[in-house]
Amino acid sequence: MSTFKTVARRILNLPEPRDKAAAAPTADMLAPQAASAPQPAVAAPAPAGLQQWTDAAARLQAQTPGPARTEPTAPEAEDRTAPAGQVPWQIEDEKSGAKFAVKVGRGVLWGVVALAAITGVRSWIWAPAAPKPAPTKADSGPQYPVQEAQAVAARFARSYLTWDEADPQARADALARDMPRGTDTTAGWNSKGRQQVIVVQPSTVSVLGDKRARVRVDVLVNGPAADAAPADKGDKKDDSKKDDSKKDDSKKDSKPAASATRWMGLEVPVVQAADRVVVTGQPGIVGVPNSGPSVPAPDSRTNDMEFADRTRGVVEEFFSKYATGEAESVAAPGASIPALPSGMTLGAIRNWAVDEGSGTDRVGTAVVSWNVGGAEIEQTYRVKVTRVSSAQAERWQVAEVHGGLTP
């Protein structure tokens, strides 16, 4: 602890502490020494800068206990007697390195004190800003069961648009599975006619809030044509006076009403209740778009006509084998190309164009006509050809084939 105090005192350039008891010796301590010791010669006063050190040395000698010192002989007294105006020890200058270290340490210490003071004052004037609270995430609850809503709406649409006047109860029982208990299962049907659902395709689900939603369903139905007249269900009166042969002649062969297949759109209101999705009421028949929206034109490609001429025979051979299930025999090694359905034969390669490029893989567009089902149908394919090399020859073979104009 005393070492730390000494170092700190030297860094701060503070004076050495003085012991009051040592600085003021008592009369009892000085009396024996004054009586026994001879009176020293009065020395010349020390320089002003060293006066405090000479005073401290005199006090230290006065209070140092020990046996009475014998008076030195004349030669020793002459040797120990310091010339006038000098101190009884040798003064050595402090090394420059030690001085530099003391100055640096002193500057660092005062810098720390100043920084602490400035920081404290700033905190008094400008209080630190309170930390911003983390944003709270609102709990939106579980997501709406879209898939279940689509399944319920599709099943309901099939039951709703299927009817047969010969068995009206079958429709009512089918509707009851997806409607609330106690709901009228006739759903507005007058129990007449006959219609059958062929395909049901659920589409978008519009969530309306409060666990309610509206589901769009596209349905392909087969039923009487729009211009077919309803059948005459009036009872005919029997003529009891006519004989049986006349009755047979008067009967006309009843012809089945003309039927038509058409798409119908149906929007079904549903609600989630008791962990289930049910239909809340009557749906509404809506129209089906006759065409899609406009789309941007595909990017134009620069064709390599020379390369297309060189590989046209490769493409024709591939497509001729493609329909017969032997495409892998002419495809590139490692290619896996499933066979086309049976009953298809190649009509012609209408067009074959290859995109500009280089390397061992090239991509082109093939327009192909097929003979299938007694008709000719035109298809478009994107074909990737790759270069296959061997010690004897080098050739191009089909590696991939995809339908459409996608890249």
Side-chain angles (χ1 to χ4, degrees):
M1 189 66 177
S2 60
T3 304
F4 174 75
K5 290 181 178 180
T6 303
V7 173
R9 190 162 48 247
R10 295 195 64 184
I11 291 175
L12 297 177
N13 197 20
L14 299 176
E16 294 291 337
R18 296 183 179 181
D19 191 354
K20 294 181 179 181
T26 60
D28 295 337
M29 295 173 59
L30 297 176
Q33 296 180 2
S36 60
Q39 294 297 328
V42 178
L50 299 177
Q51 185 65 37
Q52 56 178 346
W53 302 107
T54 56
D55 294 345
R59 288 195 300 270
L60 182 60
Q61 291 177 0
Q63 65 182 356
T64 301
R69 299 175 59 185
T70 60
E71 195 67 27
T73 60
E76 293 178 354
E78 293 177 358
D79 295 337
R80 293 184 179 180
T81 303
Q86 294 185 359
V87 294
W89 59 77
Q90 185 178 0
I91 300 175
E92 295 183 359
D93 293 336
E94 193 173 9
K95 295 181 179 180
S96 60
K99 290 182 179 180
F100 178 76
V102 170
K103 291 181 180 180
V104 171
R106 187 181 304 161
V108 172
L109 182 59
W110 282 113
V112 172
V113 174
L115 180 62
I118 294 173
T119 305
V121 172
R122 186 182 63 178
S123 63
W124 298 340
I125 301 175
W126 298 285
K132 295 182 179 180
T136 58
K137 296 182 178 180
D139 187 7
S140 59
Q143 299 293 330
Y144 198 83
V146 174
Q147 295 182 348
E148 183 181 357
Q150 289 177 326
V152 170
R155 185 171 58 239
F156 177 83
R158 180 180 291 276
S159 303
Y160 183 80
L161 294 177
T162 299
W163 52 71
D164 187 357
E165 61 184 6
D167 188 9
Q169 188 60 35
R171 180 177 183 270
D173 295 341
L175 291 174
R177 289 194 295 265
D178 298 310
M179 300 183 71
R181 184 178 302 175
T183 306
D184 181 17
T185 55
T186 60
W189 179 46
N190 65 351
S191 302
K192 303 294 183 180
R194 182 180 292 106
Q195 182 171 272
Q196 182 182 4
V197 173
I198 301 174
V199 177
V200 175
Q201 182 63 50
S203 184
T204 57
V205 178
S206 301
V207 180
L208 306 177
D210 195 21
K211 298 184 178 181
R212 297 179 180 272
R214 181 173 57 247
V215 185
R216 168 65 183 261
V217 183
D218 292 333
V219 186
L220 180 64
V221 299
N222 183 276
D227 55 352
D232 185 9
K233 298 299 179 180
D235 295 332
K236 295 182 179 180
K237 297 180 180 179
D238 296 335
D239 190 357
S240 58
K241 298 181 180 180
K242 294 182 180 179
D243 56 0
D244 295 337
S245 60
K246 290 182 179 180
K247 289 180 181 179
D248 294 336
D249 294 339
S250 62
K251 289 181 179 180
K252 297 181 180 179
D253 295 336
S254 58
K255 295 181 180 181
S259 61
T261 301
R262 59 191 181 276
W263 282 98
M264 302 176 66
L266 193 70
E267 291 188 346
V268 183
V270 297
V271 65
Q272 184 184 13
D275 297 331
R276 277 196 59 191
V277 175
V278 294
V279 178
T280 59
Q282 291 185 2
I285 296 176
V286 295
V288 177
N290 294 326
S291 62
S294 300
V295 296
D299 297 336
S300 59
R301 298 181 175 92
T302 305
N303 298 328
D304 188 345
M305 301 303 297
E306 181 182 356
F307 184 83
D309 293 339
R310 284 193 293 142
T311 56
R312 186 179 181 87
V314 174
V315 175
E316 289 179 348
E317 183 183 11
F318 169 79
F319 278 103
S320 63
K321 298 289 187 179
Y322 192 21
T324 61
E326 302 175 356
E328 293 185 356
S329 63
V330 295
S336 178
I337 303 175
L340 290 176
S342 59
M344 297 181 63
T345 59
L346 178 63
I349 303 295
R350 302 294 185 187
N351 187 39
W352 168 241
V354 182
D355 302 343
E356 283 282 358
S358 61
T360 58
D361 294 329
R362 303 291 296 273
V363 179
T365 303
V367 180
V368 183
S369 64
W370 298 101
N371 297 319
V372 56
E376 185 179 78
I377 185 170
E378 192 175 272
Q379 308 279 283
T380 302
Y381 297 91
R382 290 286 285 173
V383 182
K384 176 182 177 181
V385 294
T386 185
R387 183 169 56 196
V388 180
S389 302
S390 63
Q392 292 79 12
E394 179 181 277
R395 63 189 183 277
W396 291 88
Q397 291 182 308
V398 175
E400 296 178 12
V401 58
H402 301 282
L405 288 174
T406 55

